[in-house]
Amino acid sequence: MSHALPVSGDPHIQYRLDGAVFILQIDRPEKKNALTQGMYQALAVGIREAEASPDVKAVLLCGAPDCFTSGNDVNDFVQHETHGSERASVQFMKAMVHMRKPLVAAVNGLAIGIGTTLLMHCDLIYAAEDAFLQLPFTRLGLCPEAGSSYLAPNIMGHQRAAELLLLGERFPAAKAKEVGLVNEVLPAGEVMSYAMEKAKALAALPGEAVQTSKHLLKRQQTAVLEETIALELVNFSRLLNSEESQAILRAFLNRDS
Ligand code: COA
């Protein structure tokens, strides 16, 4: 066990070290792992601590057995707070953009909104065959975030990105693999162990070689991602303040369940 890693500052984000793999677990299953600003903060701090710790050589991001994350907590969207660059969610995005150590994701259940866009920053992604993903921004009266307006067409080409980002429909893990967003689709019960196996394989390699290689692979994206995230934020905030978007979001929160 490490003596260097801190305790998570949010009860819904767990930090764990398994060998040289730092596990960041989203743990708010009663709300389908919806992410609050406190949770983003703990995720951003976890990434920064993992980056700084000599004990860590790879990071594994996972959720609950039935949900990776349903995305941003919708309550947060209707509270008319600022959505500027100082927010913890943005700090989390930037921490991923600048990460040097490899980031592996294990996706079970569902990945909605930032649950899917954050995957575009990961290096290896494993998803359950019964999982679904969704980029529902336009359906909520919103636009892409987390750099996805740049990364999605870069990963899958314009038309496939447009299908997912403009229509905003749910899509299965198999389609995520087909468009290059997921490395492997596995039986649900095997996703976590397989992702851990791959994270450990990365962690067993010479660290400087892996980190330098990742840096070289992503080097051209860094500046454009910073710029894209800033531009997305301006538009996201504008749309979020529209009556149309607020009505859709309030309808979700006030629905009869
Ligand atoms: N923000 C806030 N609360 C959320 C949430 C979110 N993103 N996702 C789920 N929840 C809450 C629900 O309000 C519900 O709370 P309650 O038990 O107090 O009523 C609880 O989590 C369980 O969700 P529920 O909708 O009952 O489960 P479900 O299996 O029927 O549907 C989802 C799950 C994820 C498909 C559905 O909750 C959903 O569409 N969530 C919103 C996703 C979204 O739009 N995210 C923003 C992306 S930008």
Side-chain angles (χ1 to χ4, degrees):
M1 280 299 290
S2 166
H3 42 274
L5 287 169
V7 173
S8 168
D10 190 284
H12 300 300
I13 299 294
Q14 312 296 339
Y15 296 170
R16 236 169 34 247
L17 194 64
D18 184 341
V21 178
F22 182 60
I23 303 166
L24 268 174
Q25 184 178 5
I26 309 169
D27 185 21
R28 196 191 178 203
E30 70 283 4
K31 293 287 181 186
K32 300 287 173 189
N33 279 354
L35 294 166
T36 62
Q37 290 299 311
M39 292 163 73
Y40 285 119
Q41 172 81 22
L43 287 169
V45 169
I47 288 174
R48 283 196 214 107
E49 294 287 342
E51 286 281 274
S53 170
D55 298 337
V56 175
K57 291 179 73 186
V59 178
L60 174 61
L61 183 58
C62 62
D66 69 337
C67 55
F68 182 63
T69 168
S70 64
N72 205 99
D73 191 308
V74 172
N75 290 288
D76 197 39
F77 280 161
V78 295
Q79 280 165 8
H80 294 283
E81 290 170 4
T82 63
H83 286 266
S85 58
E86 78 282 3
R87 284 173 70 79
S89 47
V90 181
Q91 298 308 316
F92 168 58
M93 294 169 199
K94 290 189 175 174
M96 286 191 296
V97 168
H98 292 283
M99 222 175 145
R100 289 185 64 93
K101 292 181 181 173
L103 180 58
V104 180
V107 180
N108 278 97
L110 52 88
I112 303 178
I114 197 162
T116 293
T117 57
L118 74 79
L119 299 177
M120 299 176 193
H121 296 270
C122 295
D123 302 302
L124 299 177
I125 301 144
Y126 302 104
E129 56 199 6
D130 62 354
F132 74 83
L133 297 86
Q134 189 176 14
L135 296 159
F137 304 112
T138 55
R139 292 174 170 241
L140 303 175
L142 299 169
C143 67
E145 39 72 311
S148 58
S149 60
Y150 172 79
L151 288 171
N154 206 30
I155 292 166
M156 59 191 82
H158 172 81
Q159 282 74 12
R160 294 194 283 194
E163 182 187 18
L164 301 182
L165 277 165
L166 300 186
L167 283 175
E169 294 166 345
R170 291 181 181 188
F171 55 101
K175 172 135 183 162
K177 183 174 182 210
E178 184 193 311
V179 299
L181 188 53
V182 155
N183 290 86
E184 296 293 345
V185 176
L186 301 152
E190 293 172 22
V191 174
M192 186 60 189
S193 56
Y194 193 84
M196 179 53 91
E197 191 186 307
K198 294 295 177 191
K200 285 189 168 169
L202 285 169
L205 293 165
E208 188 51 35
V210 173
Q211 290 175 40
T212 300
S213 300
K214 170 167 174 168
H215 173 69
L216 288 167
L217 285 169
K218 297 202 126 182
R219 139 188 92 86
Q220 287 181 317
Q221 293 184 356
T222 312
V224 71
L225 276 176
E226 290 266 4
E227 183 199 321
T228 304
I229 288 170
L231 186 60
E232 288 172 346
L233 271 177
V234 170
N235 286 286
F236 198 93
S237 298
R238 174 175 58 83
L239 291 165
L240 191 56
N241 284 322
S242 70
E243 192 38 53
E244 194 173 26
S245 177
Q246 287 294 314
I248 296 166
L249 295 165
R250 279 198 303 270
F252 168 74
L253 291 173
N254 297 333
R255 84 217 135 111
D256 295 323
S257 45

